[in-house]
Amino acid sequence: MSTQIIKSNGKPVFAVLPYEEYRQMRRRLTIAQKRDEKVSIPLDVAEKHLLEGVPLIRAWRIYLGKTQKELAAAIGVSQSAWSQMENSEKNHAETLEKIAVALGIQPEQLTLKDVWV
């Protein structure tokens, strides 16, 4: 399916696109807007990660008082799949987005990139 252009008097006035393409575009726009904002991480999360060596996703989960099972259900994966994501240093951007949504945080808060404590 492709984008449909609706014209009036020969000039484009609307673009109709598949919903999934719209969602992806909104997601990219939201991420770009959030990158322009300062992103922070609570000191407890940063200390657990940086001083104790706890993976950042796990540090967030512990800080928020959530279980692996709860968060796995929130993104539709098994608890063991969540555990693998939680311990991985190489999650894909889409995976980080899903994890961030489940945790109620911004994806950038899972990377320590452009954040402050």
Side-chain angles (χ1 to χ4, degrees):
M1 190 180 274
S2 62
T3 303
Q4 176 186 1
I5 304 298
I6 300 173
K7 297 179 181 182
S8 177
N9 296 325
K11 295 182 180 180
V13 290
F14 294 101
V16 180
L17 62 153
Y19 185 67
E20 187 55 37
E21 286 181 34
Y22 166 78
R23 287 185 60 211
Q24 289 175 6
M25 187 172 25
R26 289 287 304 171
R27 186 176 15 222
R28 287 191 301 268
L29 178 61
T30 301
I31 290 169
Q33 288 171 338
K34 287 181 180 178
R35 284 189 181 134
D36 291 339
E37 301 171 3
K38 290 223 179 227
V39 177
S40 65
I41 293 179
L43 183 59
D44 291 346
V45 173
E47 285 180 342
K48 191 161 266 324
H49 176 65
L50 297 170
L51 300 179
E52 298 175 29
V54 173
L56 192 54
I57 295 169
R58 185 184 310 154
W60 270 106
R61 178 179 59 77
I62 293 166
Y63 175 77
L64 296 169
K66 303 286 185 179
T67 66
Q68 286 184 344
K69 190 173 183 177
E70 288 175 302
L71 294 168
I75 65 170
V77 299
S78 67
Q79 181 272 326
S80 62
W82 175 274
S83 179
Q84 289 176 353
M85 291 185 290
E86 187 175 274
N87 290 301
S88 176
E89 294 287 326
K90 298 179 182 180
N91 287 304
H92 294 283
E94 285 185 8
T95 302
L96 289 176
E97 288 179 39
K98 289 178 184 178
I99 292 169
V101 168
L103 292 168
I105 62 174
Q106 297 175 22
E108 293 82 4
Q109 291 174 297
L110 294 173
T111 63
L112 288 183
K113 188 176 181 183
D114 301 323
V115 298
W116 58 280
V117 178

mmCIF file with all atom_site columns, all heavy atoms in Angstrom, residues 56-79:
data_model
loop_
_atom_site.group_PDB
_atom_site.id
_atom_site.type_symbol
_atom_site.label_atom_id
_atom_site.label_alt_id
_atom_site.label_comp_id
_atom_site.label_asym_id
_atom_site.label_entity_id
_atom_site.label_seq_id
_atom_site.pdbx_PDB_ins_code
_atom_site.Cartn_x
_atom_site.Cartn_y
_atom_site.Cartn_z
_atom_site.occupancy
_atom_site.B_iso_or_equiv
_atom_site.pdbx_formal_charge
_atom_site.auth_seq_id
_atom_site.auth_comp_id
_atom_site.auth_asym_id
_atom_site.auth_atom_id
_atom_site.pdbx_PDB_model_num
ATOM 1   N N   . LEU A 1 56 ? 21.626 -1.388  32.704 1.00 0.00 ? 56 LEU A N   1
ATOM 2   C CA  . LEU A 1 56 ? 20.781 -0.204  32.839 1.00 0.00 ? 56 LEU A CA  1
ATOM 3   C C   . LEU A 1 56 ? 19.291 -0.534  32.840 1.00 0.00 ? 56 LEU A C   1
ATOM 4   O O   . LEU A 1 56 ? 18.525 0.023   33.632 1.00 0.00 ? 56 LEU A O   1
ATOM 5   C CB  . LEU A 1 56 ? 21.114 0.797   31.737 1.00 0.00 ? 56 LEU A CB  1
ATOM 6   C CG  . LEU A 1 56 ? 20.539 2.197   31.886 1.00 0.00 ? 56 LEU A CG  1
ATOM 7   C CD1 . LEU A 1 56 ? 20.885 2.817   33.229 1.00 0.00 ? 56 LEU A CD1 1
ATOM 8   C CD2 . LEU A 1 56 ? 21.062 3.083   30.754 1.00 0.00 ? 56 LEU A CD2 1
ATOM 9   N N   . ILE A 1 57 ? 18.869 -1.444  31.979 1.00 0.00 ? 57 ILE A N   1
ATOM 10  C CA  . ILE A 1 57 ? 17.444 -1.798  31.944 1.00 0.00 ? 57 ILE A CA  1
ATOM 11  C C   . ILE A 1 57 ? 17.026 -2.416  33.276 1.00 0.00 ? 57 ILE A C   1
ATOM 12  O O   . ILE A 1 57 ? 15.978 -2.092  33.828 1.00 0.00 ? 57 ILE A O   1
ATOM 13  C CB  . ILE A 1 57 ? 17.140 -2.746  30.761 1.00 0.00 ? 57 ILE A CB  1
ATOM 14  C CG1 . ILE A 1 57 ? 17.388 -2.012  29.436 1.00 0.00 ? 57 ILE A CG1 1
ATOM 15  C CG2 . ILE A 1 57 ? 15.711 -3.274  30.830 1.00 0.00 ? 57 ILE A CG2 1
ATOM 16  C CD1 . ILE A 1 57 ? 17.372 -2.902  28.209 1.00 0.00 ? 57 ILE A CD1 1
ATOM 17  N N   . ARG A 1 58 ? 17.864 -3.291  33.824 1.00 0.00 ? 58 ARG A N   1
ATOM 18  C CA  . ARG A 1 58 ? 17.551 -3.895  35.123 1.00 0.00 ? 58 ARG A CA  1
ATOM 19  C C   . ARG A 1 58 ? 17.543 -2.843  36.228 1.00 0.00 ? 58 ARG A C   1
ATOM 20  O O   . ARG A 1 58 ? 16.684 -2.861  37.114 1.00 0.00 ? 58 ARG A O   1
ATOM 21  C CB  . ARG A 1 58 ? 18.539 -5.001  35.472 1.00 0.00 ? 58 ARG A CB  1
ATOM 22  C CG  . ARG A 1 58 ? 18.140 -5.705  36.772 1.00 0.00 ? 58 ARG A CG  1
ATOM 23  C CD  . ARG A 1 58 ? 19.127 -6.751  37.243 1.00 0.00 ? 58 ARG A CD  1
ATOM 24  N NE  . ARG A 1 58 ? 19.468 -7.663  36.177 1.00 0.00 ? 58 ARG A NE  1
ATOM 25  C CZ  . ARG A 1 58 ? 20.621 -8.328  36.120 1.00 0.00 ? 58 ARG A CZ  1
ATOM 26  N NH1 . ARG A 1 58 ? 21.540 -8.188  37.054 1.00 0.00 ? 58 ARG A NH1 1
ATOM 27  N NH2 . ARG A 1 58 ? 20.870 -9.139  35.119 1.00 0.00 ? 58 ARG A NH2 1
ATOM 28  N N   . ALA A 1 59 ? 18.500 -1.917  36.172 1.00 0.00 ? 59 ALA A N   1
ATOM 29  C CA  . ALA A 1 59 ? 18.542 -0.851  37.182 1.00 0.00 ? 59 ALA A CA  1
ATOM 30  C C   . ALA A 1 59 ? 17.240 -0.055  37.170 1.00 0.00 ? 59 ALA A C   1
ATOM 31  O O   . ALA A 1 59 ? 16.700 0.281   38.229 1.00 0.00 ? 59 ALA A O   1
ATOM 32  C CB  . ALA A 1 59 ? 19.741 0.056   36.936 1.00 0.00 ? 59 ALA A CB  1
ATOM 33  N N   . TRP A 1 60 ? 16.734 0.257   35.971 1.00 0.00 ? 60 TRP A N   1
ATOM 34  C CA  . TRP A 1 60 ? 15.452 0.962   35.857 1.00 0.00 ? 60 TRP A CA  1
ATOM 35  C C   . TRP A 1 60 ? 14.313 0.106   36.420 1.00 0.00 ? 60 TRP A C   1
ATOM 36  O O   . TRP A 1 60 ? 13.451 0.595   37.139 1.00 0.00 ? 60 TRP A O   1
ATOM 37  C CB  . TRP A 1 60 ? 15.160 1.320   34.400 1.00 0.00 ? 60 TRP A CB  1
ATOM 38  C CG  . TRP A 1 60 ? 15.687 2.642   33.995 1.00 0.00 ? 60 TRP A CG  1
ATOM 39  C CD1 . TRP A 1 60 ? 16.765 2.896   33.196 1.00 0.00 ? 60 TRP A CD1 1
ATOM 40  C CD2 . TRP A 1 60 ? 15.155 3.925   34.350 1.00 0.00 ? 60 TRP A CD2 1
ATOM 41  N NE1 . TRP A 1 60 ? 16.930 4.252   33.041 1.00 0.00 ? 60 TRP A NE1 1
ATOM 42  C CE2 . TRP A 1 60 ? 15.966 4.900   33.739 1.00 0.00 ? 60 TRP A CE2 1
ATOM 43  C CE3 . TRP A 1 60 ? 14.085 4.336   35.144 1.00 0.00 ? 60 TRP A CE3 1
ATOM 44  C CZ2 . TRP A 1 60 ? 15.728 6.264   33.887 1.00 0.00 ? 60 TRP A CZ2 1
ATOM 45  C CZ3 . TRP A 1 60 ? 13.849 5.698   35.291 1.00 0.00 ? 60 TRP A CZ3 1
ATOM 46  C CH2 . TRP A 1 60 ? 14.663 6.641   34.666 1.00 0.00 ? 60 TRP A CH2 1
ATOM 47  N N   . ARG A 1 61 ? 14.301 -1.180  36.069 1.00 0.00 ? 61 ARG A N   1
ATOM 48  C CA  . ARG A 1 61 ? 13.227 -2.060  36.525 1.00 0.00 ? 61 ARG A CA  1
ATOM 49  C C   . ARG A 1 61 ? 13.192 -2.114  38.051 1.00 0.00 ? 61 ARG A C   1
ATOM 50  O O   . ARG A 1 61 ? 12.132 -1.980  38.673 1.00 0.00 ? 61 ARG A O   1
ATOM 51  C CB  . ARG A 1 61 ? 13.419 -3.472  35.943 1.00 0.00 ? 61 ARG A CB  1
ATOM 52  C CG  . ARG A 1 61 ? 12.343 -4.444  36.420 1.00 0.00 ? 61 ARG A CG  1
ATOM 53  C CD  . ARG A 1 61 ? 12.523 -5.820  35.821 1.00 0.00 ? 61 ARG A CD  1
ATOM 54  N NE  . ARG A 1 61 ? 13.800 -6.450  36.116 1.00 0.00 ? 61 ARG A NE  1
ATOM 55  C CZ  . ARG A 1 61 ? 14.117 -7.021  37.279 1.00 0.00 ? 61 ARG A CZ  1
ATOM 56  N NH1 . ARG A 1 61 ? 13.259 -7.027  38.287 1.00 0.00 ? 61 ARG A NH1 1
ATOM 57  N NH2 . ARG A 1 61 ? 15.299 -7.589  37.439 1.00 0.00 ? 61 ARG A NH2 1
ATOM 58  N N   . ILE A 1 62 ? 14.357 -2.276  38.655 1.00 0.00 ? 62 ILE A N   1
ATOM 59  C CA  . ILE A 1 62 ? 14.449 -2.331  40.114 1.00 0.00 ? 62 ILE A CA  1
ATOM 60  C C   . ILE A 1 62 ? 13.998 -1.000  40.714 1.00 0.00 ? 62 ILE A C   1
ATOM 61  O O   . ILE A 1 62 ? 13.221 -0.969  41.669 1.00 0.00 ? 62 ILE A O   1
ATOM 62  C CB  . ILE A 1 62 ? 15.889 -2.687  40.550 1.00 0.00 ? 62 ILE A CB  1
ATOM 63  C CG1 . ILE A 1 62 ? 16.217 -4.120  40.127 1.00 0.00 ? 62 ILE A CG1 1
ATOM 64  C CG2 . ILE A 1 62 ? 16.083 -2.489  42.045 1.00 0.00 ? 62 ILE A CG2 1
ATOM 65  C CD1 . ILE A 1 62 ? 17.694 -4.481  40.202 1.00 0.00 ? 62 ILE A CD1 1
ATOM 66  N N   . TYR A 1 63 ? 14.471 0.091   40.160 1.00 0.00 ? 63 TYR A N   1
ATOM 67  C CA  . TYR A 1 63 ? 14.117 1.429   40.638 1.00 0.00 ? 63 TYR A CA  1
ATOM 68  C C   . TYR A 1 63 ? 12.602 1.640   40.610 1.00 0.00 ? 63 TYR A C   1
ATOM 69  O O   . TYR A 1 63 ? 12.031 2.230   41.520 1.00 0.00 ? 63 TYR A O   1
ATOM 70  C CB  . TYR A 1 63 ? 14.821 2.479   39.782 1.00 0.00 ? 63 TYR A CB  1
ATOM 71  C CG  . TYR A 1 63 ? 14.439 3.897   40.092 1.00 0.00 ? 63 TYR A CG  1
ATOM 72  C CD1 . TYR A 1 63 ? 14.953 4.553   41.221 1.00 0.00 ? 63 TYR A CD1 1
ATOM 73  C CD2 . TYR A 1 63 ? 13.571 4.609   39.266 1.00 0.00 ? 63 TYR A CD2 1
ATOM 74  C CE1 . TYR A 1 63 ? 14.607 5.857   41.510 1.00 0.00 ? 63 TYR A CE1 1
ATOM 75  C CE2 . TYR A 1 63 ? 13.221 5.912   39.546 1.00 0.00 ? 63 TYR A CE2 1
ATOM 76  C CZ  . TYR A 1 63 ? 13.739 6.540   40.671 1.00 0.00 ? 63 TYR A CZ  1
ATOM 77  O OH  . TYR A 1 63 ? 13.390 7.840   40.961 1.00 0.00 ? 63 TYR A OH  1
ATOM 78  N N   . LEU A 1 64 ? 11.960 1.134   39.556 1.00 0.00 ? 64 LEU A N   1
ATOM 79  C CA  . LEU A 1 64 ? 10.518 1.320   39.399 1.00 0.00 ? 64 LEU A CA  1
ATOM 80  C C   . LEU A 1 64 ? 9.704  0.260   40.135 1.00 0.00 ? 64 LEU A C   1
ATOM 81  O O   . LEU A 1 64 ? 8.470  0.327   40.153 1.00 0.00 ? 64 LEU A O   1
ATOM 82  C CB  . LEU A 1 64 ? 10.153 1.331   37.913 1.00 0.00 ? 64 LEU A CB  1
ATOM 83  C CG  . LEU A 1 64 ? 10.752 2.504   37.128 1.00 0.00 ? 64 LEU A CG  1
ATOM 84  C CD1 . LEU A 1 64 ? 10.563 2.297   35.631 1.00 0.00 ? 64 LEU A CD1 1
ATOM 85  C CD2 . LEU A 1 64 ? 10.134 3.822   37.580 1.00 0.00 ? 64 LEU A CD2 1
ATOM 86  N N   . GLY A 1 65 ? 10.383 -0.719  40.739 1.00 0.00 ? 65 GLY A N   1
ATOM 87  C CA  . GLY A 1 65 ? 9.692  -1.744  41.517 1.00 0.00 ? 65 GLY A CA  1
ATOM 88  C C   . GLY A 1 65 ? 8.870  -2.705  40.677 1.00 0.00 ? 65 GLY A C   1
ATOM 89  O O   . GLY A 1 65 ? 7.838  -3.210  41.134 1.00 0.00 ? 65 GLY A O   1
ATOM 90  N N   . LYS A 1 66 ? 9.317  -2.976  39.469 1.00 0.00 ? 66 LYS A N   1
ATOM 91  C CA  . LYS A 1 66 ? 8.600  -3.871  38.560 1.00 0.00 ? 66 LYS A CA  1
ATOM 92  C C   . LYS A 1 66 ? 9.300  -5.225  38.516 1.00 0.00 ? 66 LYS A C   1
ATOM 93  O O   . LYS A 1 66 ? 10.502 -5.330  38.763 1.00 0.00 ? 66 LYS A O   1
ATOM 94  C CB  . LYS A 1 66 ? 8.565  -3.294  37.145 1.00 0.00 ? 66 LYS A CB  1
ATOM 95  C CG  . LYS A 1 66 ? 7.950  -1.925  37.038 1.00 0.00 ? 66 LYS A CG  1
ATOM 96  C CD  . LYS A 1 66 ? 6.461  -1.990  37.173 1.00 0.00 ? 66 LYS A CD  1
ATOM 97  C CE  . LYS A 1 66 ? 5.855  -0.614  36.931 1.00 0.00 ? 66 LYS A CE  1
ATOM 98  N NZ  . LYS A 1 66 ? 4.420  -0.642  37.026 1.00 0.00 ? 66 LYS A NZ  1
ATOM 99  N N   . THR A 1 67 ? 8.543  -6.253  38.149 1.00 0.00 ? 67 THR A N   1
ATOM 100 C CA  . THR A 1 67 ? 9.135  -7.583  37.964 1.00 0.00 ? 67 THR A CA  1
ATOM 101 C C   . THR A 1 67 ? 9.372  -7.819  36.480 1.00 0.00 ? 67 THR A C   1
ATOM 102 O O   . THR A 1 67 ? 8.739  -7.179  35.630 1.00 0.00 ? 67 THR A O   1
ATOM 103 C CB  . THR A 1 67 ? 8.215  -8.696  38.495 1.00 0.00 ? 67 THR A CB  1
ATOM 104 O OG1 . THR A 1 67 ? 7.033  -8.737  37.691 1.00 0.00 ? 67 THR A OG1 1
ATOM 105 C CG2 . THR A 1 67 ? 7.861  -8.480  39.963 1.00 0.00 ? 67 THR A CG2 1
ATOM 106 N N   . GLN A 1 68 ? 10.265 -8.754  36.195 1.00 0.00 ? 68 GLN A N   1
ATOM 107 C CA  . GLN A 1 68 ? 10.501 -9.121  34.803 1.00 0.00 ? 68 GLN A CA  1
ATOM 108 C C   . GLN A 1 68 ? 9.212  -9.631  34.175 1.00 0.00 ? 68 GLN A C   1
ATOM 109 O O   . GLN A 1 68 ? 8.906  -9.321  33.024 1.00 0.00 ? 68 GLN A O   1
ATOM 110 C CB  . GLN A 1 68 ? 11.580 -10.195 34.701 1.00 0.00 ? 68 GLN A CB  1
ATOM 111 C CG  . GLN A 1 68 ? 12.978 -9.705  34.947 1.00 0.00 ? 68 GLN A CG  1
ATOM 112 C CD  . GLN A 1 68 ? 14.015 -10.799 34.740 1.00 0.00 ? 68 GLN A CD  1
ATOM 113 O OE1 . GLN A 1 68 ? 13.701 -11.991 34.693 1.00 0.00 ? 68 GLN A OE1 1
ATOM 114 N NE2 . GLN A 1 68 ? 15.270 -10.388 34.621 1.00 0.00 ? 68 GLN A NE2 1
ATOM 115 N N   . LYS A 1 69 ? 8.458  -10.403 34.934 1.00 0.00 ? 69 LYS A N   1
ATOM 116 C CA  . LYS A 1 69 ? 7.214  -10.989 34.419 1.00 0.00 ? 69 LYS A CA  1
ATOM 117 C C   . LYS A 1 69 ? 6.213  -9.898  34.028 1.00 0.00 ? 69 LYS A C   1
ATOM 118 O O   . LYS A 1 69 ? 5.588  -9.973  32.975 1.00 0.00 ? 69 LYS A O   1
ATOM 119 C CB  . LYS A 1 69 ? 6.612  -11.921 35.465 1.00 0.00 ? 69 LYS A CB  1
ATOM 120 C CG  . LYS A 1 69 ? 5.477  -12.752 34.966 1.00 0.00 ? 69 LYS A CG  1
ATOM 121 C CD  . LYS A 1 69 ? 5.046  -13.764 36.017 1.00 0.00 ? 69 LYS A CD  1
ATOM 122 C CE  . LYS A 1 69 ? 3.945  -14.645 35.473 1.00 0.00 ? 69 LYS A CE  1
ATOM 123 N NZ  . LYS A 1 69 ? 3.549  -15.677 36.428 1.00 0.00 ? 69 LYS A NZ  1
ATOM 124 N N   . GLU A 1 70 ? 6.067  -8.865  34.870 1.00 0.00 ? 70 GLU A N   1
ATOM 125 C CA  . GLU A 1 70 ? 5.150  -7.757  34.570 1.00 0.00 ? 70 GLU A CA  1
ATOM 126 C C   . GLU A 1 70 ? 5.540  -7.048  33.278 1.00 0.00 ? 70 GLU A C   1
ATOM 127 O O   . GLU A 1 70 ? 4.705  -6.774  32.422 1.00 0.00 ? 70 GLU A O   1
ATOM 128 C CB  . GLU A 1 70 ? 5.183  -6.707  35.691 1.00 0.00 ? 70 GLU A CB  1
ATOM 129 C CG  . GLU A 1 70 ? 4.543  -7.095  36.978 1.00 0.00 ? 70 GLU A CG  1
ATOM 130 C CD  . GLU A 1 70 ? 4.752  -6.023  38.034 1.00 0.00 ? 70 GLU A CD  1
ATOM 131 O OE1 . GLU A 1 70 ? 5.922  -5.685  38.345 1.00 0.00 ? 70 GLU A OE1 1
ATOM 132 O OE2 . GLU A 1 70 ? 3.734  -5.520  38.540 1.00 0.00 ? 70 GLU A OE2 1
ATOM 133 N N   . LEU A 1 71 ? 6.815  -6.740  33.161 1.00 0.00 ? 71 LEU A N   1
ATOM 134 C CA  . LEU A 1 71 ? 7.284  -5.981  32.001 1.00 0.00 ? 71 LEU A CA  1
ATOM 135 C C   . LEU A 1 71 ? 7.290  -6.829  30.731 1.00 0.00 ? 71 LEU A C   1
ATOM 136 O O   . LEU A 1 71 ? 6.989  -6.326  29.654 1.00 0.00 ? 71 LEU A O   1
ATOM 137 C CB  . LEU A 1 71 ? 8.656  -5.393  32.290 1.00 0.00 ? 71 LEU A CB  1
ATOM 138 C CG  . LEU A 1 71 ? 8.622  -4.338  33.410 1.00 0.00 ? 71 LEU A CG  1
ATOM 139 C CD1 . LEU A 1 71 ? 10.026 -3.991  33.862 1.00 0.00 ? 71 LEU A CD1 1
ATOM 140 C CD2 . LEU A 1 71 ? 7.875  -3.105  32.963 1.00 0.00 ? 71 LEU A CD2 1
ATOM 141 N N   . ALA A 1 72 ? 7.587  -8.109  30.879 1.00 0.00 ? 72 ALA A N   1
ATOM 142 C CA  . ALA A 1 72 ? 7.527  -9.006  29.720 1.00 0.00 ? 72 ALA A CA  1
ATOM 143 C C   . ALA A 1 72 ? 6.095  -9.047  29.183 1.00 0.00 ? 72 ALA A C   1
ATOM 144 O O   . ALA A 1 72 ? 5.881  -8.951  27.971 1.00 0.00 ? 72 ALA A O   1
ATOM 145 C CB  . ALA A 1 72 ? 7.997  -10.400 30.115 1.00 0.00 ? 72 ALA A CB  1
ATOM 146 N N   . ALA A 1 73 ? 5.130  -9.151  30.074 1.00 0.00 ? 73 ALA A N   1
ATOM 147 C CA  . ALA A 1 73 ? 3.723  -9.176  29.660 1.00 0.00 ? 73 ALA A CA  1
ATOM 148 C C   . ALA A 1 73 ? 3.338  -7.861  28.986 1.00 0.00 ? 73 ALA A C   1
ATOM 149 O O   . ALA A 1 73 ? 2.577  -7.848  28.015 1.00 0.00 ? 73 ALA A O   1
ATOM 150 C CB  . ALA A 1 73 ? 2.824  -9.440  30.864 1.00 0.00 ? 73 ALA A CB  1
ATOM 151 N N   . ALA A 1 74 ? 3.887  -6.759  29.473 1.00 0.00 ? 74 ALA A N   1
ATOM 152 C CA  . ALA A 1 74 ? 3.557  -5.444  28.918 1.00 0.00 ? 74 ALA A CA  1
ATOM 153 C C   . ALA A 1 74 ? 3.998  -5.299  27.464 1.00 0.00 ? 74 ALA A C   1
ATOM 154 O O   . ALA A 1 74 ? 3.367  -4.559  26.702 1.00 0.00 ? 74 ALA A O   1
ATOM 155 C CB  . ALA A 1 74 ? 4.188  -4.333  29.763 1.00 0.00 ? 74 ALA A CB  1
ATOM 156 N N   . ILE A 1 75 ? 5.070  -5.981  27.089 1.00 0.00 ? 75 ILE A N   1
ATOM 157 C CA  . ILE A 1 75 ? 5.523  -5.879  25.691 1.00 0.00 ? 75 ILE A CA  1
ATOM 158 C C   . ILE A 1 75 ? 5.280  -7.162  24.894 1.00 0.00 ? 75 ILE A C   1
ATOM 159 O O   . ILE A 1 75 ? 5.674  -7.259  23.745 1.00 0.00 ? 75 ILE A O   1
ATOM 160 C CB  . ILE A 1 75 ? 7.008  -5.439  25.584 1.00 0.00 ? 75 ILE A CB  1
ATOM 161 C CG1 . ILE A 1 75 ? 7.951  -6.475  26.172 1.00 0.00 ? 75 ILE A CG1 1
ATOM 162 C CG2 . ILE A 1 75 ? 7.216  -4.086  26.206 1.00 0.00 ? 75 ILE A CG2 1
ATOM 163 C CD1 . ILE A 1 75 ? 9.407  -6.201  25.866 1.00 0.00 ? 75 ILE A CD1 1
ATOM 164 N N   . GLY A 1 76 ? 4.626  -8.136  25.531 1.00 0.00 ? 76 GLY A N   1
ATOM 165 C CA  . GLY A 1 76 ? 4.223  -9.334  24.821 1.00 0.00 ? 76 GLY A CA  1
ATOM 166 C C   . GLY A 1 76 ? 5.321  -10.342 24.543 1.00 0.00 ? 76 GLY A C   1
ATOM 167 O O   . GLY A 1 76 ? 5.346  -10.966 23.488 1.00 0.00 ? 76 GLY A O   1
ATOM 168 N N   . VAL A 1 77 ? 6.245  -10.486 25.496 1.00 0.00 ? 77 VAL A N   1
ATOM 169 C CA  . VAL A 1 77 ? 7.295  -11.494 25.363 1.00 0.00 ? 77 VAL A CA  1
ATOM 170 C C   . VAL A 1 77 ? 7.322  -12.346 26.618 1.00 0.00 ? 77 VAL A C   1
ATOM 171 O O   . VAL A 1 77 ? 6.688  -12.021 27.624 1.00 0.00 ? 77 VAL A O   1
ATOM 172 C CB  . VAL A 1 77 ? 8.699  -10.859 25.120 1.00 0.00 ? 77 VAL A CB  1
ATOM 173 C CG1 . VAL A 1 77 ? 8.728  -10.058 23.840 1.00 0.00 ? 77 VAL A CG1 1
ATOM 174 C CG2 . VAL A 1 77 ? 9.127  -10.003 26.308 1.00 0.00 ? 77 VAL A CG2 1
ATOM 175 N N   . SER A 1 78 ? 8.067  -13.434 26.580 1.00 0.00 ? 78 SER A N   1
ATOM 176 C CA  . SER A 1 78 ? 8.205  -14.285 27.760 1.00 0.00 ? 78 SER A CA  1
ATOM 177 C C   . SER A 1 78 ? 9.140  -13.627 28.776 1.00 0.00 ? 78 SER A C   1
ATOM 178 O O   . SER A 1 78 ? 9.925  -12.732 28.435 1.00 0.00 ? 78 SER A O   1
ATOM 179 C CB  . SER A 1 78 ? 8.760  -15.650 27.364 1.00 0.00 ? 78 SER A CB  1
ATOM 180 O OG  . SER A 1 78 ? 10.094 -15.520 26.917 1.00 0.00 ? 78 SER A OG  1
ATOM 181 N N   . GLN A 1 79 ? 9.070  -14.104 29.996 1.00 0.00 ? 79 GLN A N   1
ATOM 182 C CA  . GLN A 1 79 ? 9.954  -13.582 31.044 1.00 0.00 ? 79 GLN A CA  1
ATOM 183 C C   . GLN A 1 79 ? 11.405 -13.861 30.689 1.00 0.00 ? 79 GLN A C   1
ATOM 184 O O   . GLN A 1 79 ? 12.271 -13.019 30.899 1.00 0.00 ? 79 GLN A O   1
ATOM 185 C CB  . GLN A 1 79 ? 9.587  -14.212 32.399 1.00 0.00 ? 79 GLN A CB  1
ATOM 186 C CG  . GLN A 1 79 ? 10.423 -13.714 33.568 1.00 0.00 ? 79 GLN A CG  1
ATOM 187 C CD  . GLN A 1 79 ? 11.699 -14.506 33.759 1.00 0.00 ? 79 GLN A CD  1
ATOM 188 O OE1 . GLN A 1 79 ? 11.742 -15.711 33.515 1.00 0.00 ? 79 GLN A OE1 1
ATOM 189 N NE2 . GLN A 1 79 ? 12.741 -13.835 34.199 1.00 0.00 ? 79 GLN A NE2 1
#
